[in-house]
Amino acid sequence: TEISLTECGLGGNLDCEPAALPGLAAAAYGRSEALLPPQRGAVTAFTLEEVVEVASDSEEEEVEPPADHERRPSPLLLPLFAHLALPGNAIRRLDLSRSALSAEAARCLGRCLPSSVLEALVLSYCWIGDDALELLTIAMSHNRSLLELNLRGNRLSGNSDAPIAFLVALTSHARLAHLDLAENRIARECVQDVCGLLQWSCSLVSMHLLGAVGCPGAEMVAAIRQWTFEHAGDDVALEGNPVATLVRSERVTLEQAQAEAEAEVEADAEEVILCRALHVDGLGSWRIVSPPAPPSPHDPLAAAKEKFC
């Protein structure tokens, strides 16, 4: 089952307490909050049970619950997130693109992902920032079902901390095959972790990066090109291989890559598409693939380019 809520405007929170809603709606939100799993990976100083125990031991001293357990706003999509957490649900693809997600909506989505059976999650242009990405990082470190994750065009600050933690978490994901991080501000310090994900992921076969307006990335592109050449296996035939037309035909040294980046440092980096085909002999190594130019009618490799690119 596929649910598409693109541009629905439901990524925010309720304007009132769930109890103030009409009867059935209030009951639905109450059940949803009870069904939603606790957030994983969060470390608190003490739990509610410990608060109750301390309060019973000392009736004279008033103990306030930790801030983590204060009343939070309820996302409009809370019932949907709770349903996603049920192991028997039939939803396999969820598209929330172009719906600005509140911090609480991102938190609740992260709570349901570890137990969800979703195979595709589209969160492109959802105004996701560094804090929301950190919540998704915790969720993805426990998720075992996603095959496709689309985070294109969000509001990352350009700081390297959140993207690096996210990339590191994905290296151990057993099923993720398609990752779209294009049109996001990715710091150049992340290039090592991008290459680490390409090297250590056993399932990833395609990845989209860069392309954000006002975010130069020529140095990162050059470094990724260098890495793909250095890690091209014996199964890649560089000469005459239309799929590998953008892989360097001669070794590119680190100094050359840096010189290339400095020459284009003011230019916005175009979107970079990396792919590999683990099940096809000769295409098992990572390569950079650009959107193909219109083939010439006299180009003898036109048919092969259309087939493989």
Side-chain angles (χ1 to χ4, degrees), residues 225 228-229 231-250 273-277 281-290 292 301 304-309:
R225 287 192 188 280
T228 58
F229 181 82
H231 291 79
D234 297 334
D235 58 342
V236 177
L238 295 178
E239 296 297 332
N241 186 344
V243 183
T245 53
L246 292 180
V247 179
R248 300 292 173 84
S249 58
E250 59 181 348
I273 305 173
L274 299 106
C275 70
R276 61 178 174 172
D281 292 340
L283 301 179
S285 296
W286 283 103
R287 53 190 57 83
I288 295 179
V289 180
S290 288
L301 295 177
K305 289 180 180 179
E306 290 182 355
K307 180 177 181 180
F308 293 103
C309 296

Side-chain angles (χ1 to χ4, degrees), residues 191 209-210 217-228 248 257 260-261 264 269-272 288:
V191 66
L209 282 171
L210 303 178
E219 183 177 347
M220 181 179 290
V221 175
I224 294 175
R225 287 192 188 280
Q226 169 73 9
W227 185 91
T228 58
R248 300 292 173 84
E260 181 182 90
E264 304 178 6
E270 295 183 0
E271 180 177 338
V272 176
I288 295 179

Side-chain angles (χ1 to χ4, degrees), residues 151-294:
L151 293 172
R152 174 182 292 261
N154 280 290
R155 293 297 185 97
L156 302 184
S157 67
N159 186 285
S160 62
D161 294 342
I164 285 177
F166 182 71
L167 292 167
V168 170
L170 294 185
T171 58
S172 60
H173 199 286
R175 298 194 69 198
L176 189 67
H178 304 281
L179 176 63
D180 191 343
L181 291 175
E183 299 182 37
N184 282 296
R185 297 178 62 86
I186 304 294
R188 67 184 64 184
E189 292 82 5
C190 298
V191 66
Q192 182 177 354
D193 299 279
V194 169
C195 295
L197 175 59
L198 297 176
Q199 181 174 2
W200 299 112
S201 174
C202 62
S203 59
L204 199 64
V205 295
S206 74
M207 186 174 182
H208 295 239
L209 282 171
L210 303 178
V213 176
C215 184
E219 183 177 347
M220 181 179 290
V221 175
I224 294 175
R225 287 192 188 280
Q226 169 73 9
W227 185 91
T228 58
F229 181 82
E230 291 178 347
H231 291 79
D234 297 334
D235 58 342
V236 177
L238 295 178
E239 296 297 332
N241 186 344
V243 183
T245 53
L246 292 180
V247 179
R248 300 292 173 84
S249 58
E250 59 181 348
R251 186 174 184 81
V252 181
T253 65
L254 182 58
E255 292 77 11
Q256 289 172 319
Q258 291 174 340
E260 181 182 90
E262 291 173 359
E264 304 178 6
V265 69
E266 297 300 329
D268 294 344
E270 295 183 0
E271 180 177 338
V272 176
I273 305 173
L274 299 106
C275 70
R276 61 178 174 172
L278 297 174
H279 62 292
V280 179
D281 292 340
L283 301 179
S285 296
W286 283 103
R287 53 190 57 83
I288 295 179
V289 180
S290 288

Side-chain angles (χ1 to χ4, degrees), residues 119-136:
E119 295 181 349
L121 178 60
V122 182
L123 298 175
S124 56
Y125 309 104
C126 284
W127 290 59
I128 291 174
D130 292 358
D131 292 342
L133 185 63
E134 291 175 357
L135 295 173
L136 290 176

Side-chain angles (χ1 to χ4, degrees), residues 37 39 70 75 80 112 124-125 146 187 245 257 286:
Q39 183 174 335
E70 292 177 356
L80 173 61
C112 80
S124 56
Y125 309 104
L146 275 182
T245 53
W286 283 103

